[in-house]
Amino acid sequence: MSEQSMAAMAPRISLSVEVPEELFEAMRDYVETHPSWSQHRVFCAALSLFLMQNGISDRRINRLYLDAVFDYAA
C-alpha cells in the first residue's frame, strides 16, 4: 500500500479551537479567493510547517505538509 493511500485512510481528529478574529478573517478571505484551498488544507499546511520548523522530524509530518501545499491529498 502506498504512503498516499495510507494517508487517505488515516483517522482524522476534529478540533474546536479559538483563534483571533483577524487570523480567522484572513484565512476565510484566502480560502474564498483560492478555491483549491479549504480551511482543513490551510490548517494542515500551517501546523505541519510549524512542527517541522520547531524540531519535529517525522516523515509523516513532512508528507502531510507536502500533500497540503501541493494538493496531493485532494
Side-chain angles (χ1 to χ4, degrees):
M1 185 176 295
S2 73
E3 260 187 73
Q4 193 167 6
S5 59
M6 286 178 19
M9 294 175 23
R12 293 189 176 187
I13 307 294
S14 179
L15 295 176
S16 177
V17 298
E18 292 184 16
V19 296
E21 186 173 356
E22 298 84 0
L23 184 58
F24 175 78
E25 289 173 355
M27 181 186 62
R28 184 193 61 215
D29 292 345
Y30 184 85
V31 169
E32 286 176 358
T33 59
H34 295 83
S36 64
W37 283 83
S38 65
Q39 286 182 5
H40 176 266
R41 187 174 170 198
V42 169
F43 183 78
C44 285
L47 183 56
S48 57
L49 179 60
F50 172 83
L51 292 170
M52 290 186 312
Q53 289 176 334
N54 286 282
I56 301 298
S57 56
D58 182 326
R59 291 182 67 135
R60 296 171 300 172
I61 302 303
N62 298 355
R63 171 57 52 199
L64 288 169
Y65 174 72
L66 292 172
D67 287 350
V69 170
F70 295 106
D71 200 17
Y72 292 146

